DNA sequence: TTGAAAGCGCTAACAA
DNA sequence: TTGTTAGCGCTTTCAA
């Protein structure tokens, strides 16, 4: 469209009376030109309103200054992923990188020339974009392990098993003797780890497991139906741990409708914290996954891989925490 | 790094025994080559694992297949913006476009060569990125008007004034006679419109306005302090409308602590709906801003501007709605 | 310290 | 229907 609206390097060079090489070096501060010419060229460039064509630069230098980011399709509305994205963007901006959101439409077979590397948040085994990216030759960092059979360049992990154990111990010491678990699907490493941890904990403590699994991205009505059914079927249940993001908040009305009092005859906890859980009555105990830090850690690890500072196969640990609130005081 | 790992057009052309133009045309389905050669070239390309270098393509065709997206820095955690982003990404993907998140670090003075156009969600007057983008020569579509003095190519708007009027009327007919307003800053068109609408409505109905303004992105503690102070100072207040995203949910504990019963002696409503407000006790009446549709509408309008189907200066209306819940039954 | 020339991988204009 | 040639705007040799 607007042809020739922007001035290019040659024009700057001409106006400054130097070669295009010198102009390029001056503007990139390569340390090759004298201070005097550098200042001169920069002044001319500013006067002409020059901005470098990053596409041309990418083509020549074969590095794009951009990282890709892909998240599960089904996330719908989730504070966790929003914070995760912000963490990635924030760290990328610090390194002077842009972030491109990658969707299903155009992942090529071998090389994704538009980005220098990719961050995958909670890669689903079933996601074709994830598979495409892992099979392409661009470096990939995942948040949580990929449970399929391709290897990312590096992984950021958290100790979900240990933290859920702590949560279950906490419930037990608050008096719970029959803890139910609203589980997330095993299609992610996170969901799978939580299920296993719950089942093993029950075994160790001689507690009969009461687990209901929900598909990733289930609508709230389904979560509510499950909990309603669960409370009806097993009136002895005196604590409930909710894994899917948003499920703890969503089932509050159902629990109230069942005549239970949260924090007293039914302890409630969530595997994903959110601001909503701060303000409920009572506030709900939750695992703090520190999504913003997770995003930043993934981006940083990707940059370390790209620069060679971190070797392929690096697994980096992200600490997470348990925030106890009134819903589990017992 | 991995030099020569990916095969390029010349190699495909050579292997297929055609010129690189023909190969290019065959792979892009330009309709210039015979069906026979097209199939042959495509087969060879697949066999070699060819994927086109989009950077080179962009440089040559001077269109990037990417749109930019910029949101206010202060959004912190917000379901509204998450949905907005999904709307943009979704529509972009349908048009075979990628979405790049634009942050403060690298907005140039004249031309942002990496994107074909930009969507701005709720542009803040004070945001330097917004100003830079609006002054650059790339087409910009904003969600809500920009209150500064530059003109975007097009705007998507909603009838916030009309909808807030409806909400206030609804409160009045539910018995409210003294409606307070927790306002958002006037730094966005949305915040400004809501304040004006509230004040005019009060005037028309001979009601003394009780307005407290919060800075964009205020922490929940500040919101809570404001409402606590408001309820103390004006015990006659029998309804509260909360503008800032998340504030209605955040002030619930404060209202309870003040001994008020929501939906009975204090009606509560929010100017931004969210899933959290569905599940509170009682559920909270809210304006549904339809963020996902807003994002999609912005992206679509940008594509229409780019293709010339929509003229510069287009203002497109997005319908929004009011969802009445138990918090305002009166 | 600077300049000239080559070329990143592709598409568009011009020929055949 | 196909091939040849010329760049897109930049960075990077290689030479001076």
């Amino acid at each position: 469209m607007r042809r020739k609206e922007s001035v290019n390097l040659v024009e700057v060079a001409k106006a400054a009376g130097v070669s295009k090489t010198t102009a390029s070096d001056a503007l990139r501060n390569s340390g090759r030109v004298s201070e005097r010419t550098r200042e001169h060229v920069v002044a001319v460039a500013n006067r002409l309103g020059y901005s470098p064509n990053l596409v041309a630069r990418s083509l020549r230098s074969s590095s794009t200054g951009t990282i890709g980011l892909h998240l599960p399709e089904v996330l719908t509305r989730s504070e966790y992923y929003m914070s995760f994205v912000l963490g990635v963007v924030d760290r990328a901006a610090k390194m002077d990188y842009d972030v491109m959101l990658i969707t299903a439409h155009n992942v090529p077979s071998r090389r994704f020339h538009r980005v220098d590397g990719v961050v995958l948040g909670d890669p689903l085994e079933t996601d074709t974009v994830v598979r495409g990216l892992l099979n392409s030759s661009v470096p990939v960092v995942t948040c949580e392990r990929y449970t399929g059979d391709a290897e990312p360049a590096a992984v950021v992990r958290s100790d979900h098993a240990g933290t859920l154990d702590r949560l279950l111990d906490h419930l037990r010491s608050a008096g719970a003797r029959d803890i139910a678990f609203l589980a997330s699907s095993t299609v992610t490493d996170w969901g799978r780890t939580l299920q296993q941890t719950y089942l093993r904990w029950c075994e160790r403590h001689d507690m009969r497991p009461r687990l209901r699994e929900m598909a990733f991205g289930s609508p709230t009505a389904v979560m509510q139906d499950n909990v309603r059914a669960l409370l009806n079927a097993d009136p002895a249940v005196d604590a409930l741990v909710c894994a899917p993001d948003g499920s703890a908040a969503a089932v509050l009305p159902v629990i109230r409708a069942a005549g239970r009092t949260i924090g007293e005859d039914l302890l409630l906890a969530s595997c994903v914290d959110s601001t909503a859980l701060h303000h409920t009555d009572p506030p709900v105990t939750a695992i703090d996954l520190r999504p913003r830090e997770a995003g930043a850690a993934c981006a940083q690890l990707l940059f370390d891989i790209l620069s060679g500072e971190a070797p392929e196969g690096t697994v980096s640990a992200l600490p997470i925490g348990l925030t106890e609130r009134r819903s589990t005081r017992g």
Side-chain angles (χ1 to χ4, degrees), chain A:
Chain A
M1 339 188 167
R2 290 147 157 151
R3 225 72 221 289
K4 229 36 271 173
E5 176 155 345
S6 73
V7 0
N8 64 17
L9 190 59
V10 200
E11 292 164 324
V12 172
K14 207 168 288 175
V18 296
S19 76
K20 116 191 141 148
T21 313
T22 304
S24 170
D25 284 318
L27 293 168
R28 276 178 307 136
N29 241 320
S30 77
R32 223 181 75 126
V33 297
S34 73
E35 185 55 21
R36 241 176 66 81
T37 26
R38 200 190 61 76
E39 278 172 9
H40 178 224
V41 172
V42 167
V44 170
N46 283 338
R47 179 160 55 74
L48 298 182
Y50 170 74
S51 54
N53 186 326
L54 300 179
V55 173
R57 180 176 287 175
S58 294
L59 177 58
R60 186 62 243 241
S61 60
S62 70
S63 97
T64 60
T66 301
I67 61 174
L69 173 58
H70 176 77
L71 301 173
E73 293 272 349
V74 284
L75 44 81
T76 55
R77 36 196 160 48
S78 154
E79 196 172 317
Y80 173 87
Y81 285 117
M82 187 72 198
S83 299
F84 185 84
V85 171
L86 289 176
V88 171
V89 168
D90 210 55
R91 177 53 54 79
K94 282 211 179 74
M95 308 292 285
D96 232 61
Y97 264 71
D98 285 315
V99 175
M100 179 164 260
L101 269 16
I102 297 183
T103 50
H105 74 292
N106 111 7
V107 177
S109 40
R110 291 210 68 66
R111 186 93 176 81
F112 195 50
H113 301 268
R114 264 210 277 234
V115 296
D116 293 345
V118 172
V119 171
L120 299 179
D122 288 316
L124 304 188
E125 247 182 86
T126 51
D127 189 331
T128 55
V129 178
V130 168
R131 274 209 289 262
L133 256 9
L134 283 168
N135 288 328
S136 83
S137 63
V138 8
V140 171
V141 170
T142 63
C143 185
E144 306 305 331
R145 274 189 212 289
Y146 176 62
T147 48
D149 52 32
E151 276 303 317
V155 180
V156 170
R157 296 207 63 192
S158 300
D159 183 16
H160 299 298
T163 312
L164 179 55
D165 270 335
R166 270 178 60 202
L167 171 56
L168 293 167
D169 289 343
H170 164 67
L171 290 173
R172 191 156 188 278
S173 68
R177 289 298 170 264
D178 204 334
I179 306 176
F181 188 67
L182 190 65
S184 193
S185 125
T186 56
V187 81
T188 64
D189 184 34
W190 174 76
R192 176 179 295 194
T193 302
L194 292 183
Q195 285 205 21
Q196 285 179 352
T197 304
Y198 169 75
L199 293 173
R200 283 190 195 140
W201 189 93
C202 286
E203 208 177 303
R204 281 207 308 282
H205 292 79
D206 244 353
M207 194 178 278
R208 187 180 137 205
R210 305 185 190 271
L211 181 149
R212 298 217 166 205
E213 179 177 320
M214 324 266 314
F216 214 74
S218 290
T220 56
V222 174
M223 301 175 180
Q224 292 175 331
D225 290 346
N226 263 285
V227 168
R228 196 167 8 238
L230 193 146
L231 292 180
N232 271 335
D234 308 301
V237 164
D238 54 10
L240 173 63
V241 175
C242 295
D245 193 2
S247 60
V251 302
L252 285 171
V254 171
I255 296 174
R256 282 183 214 117
R260 299 297 206 96
T261 307
I262 296 165
E264 300 189 0
D265 61 5
L266 187 82
L267 308 187
L268 179 69
S270 167
C271 293
V272 186
D273 200 6
S274 71
T275 43
L277 299 180
H278 293 56
H279 307 310
T280 50
D281 185 23
V284 175
T285 293
I287 293 175
D288 179 8
L289 297 172
R290 304 181 64 229
R292 185 144 190 164
E293 290 78 4
C298 286
Q300 186 57 55
L301 186 49
L302 179 55
F303 292 128
D304 290 345
I305 293 281
L306 289 174
S307 70
E309 274 168 61
E312 297 238 341
T314 300
V315 177
S316 162
L318 180 86
I320 55 179
L322 177 63
T323 307
E324 296 175 14
R325 302 203 181 93
R326 294 215 318 276
S327 71
T328 56
R329 73 184 156 190

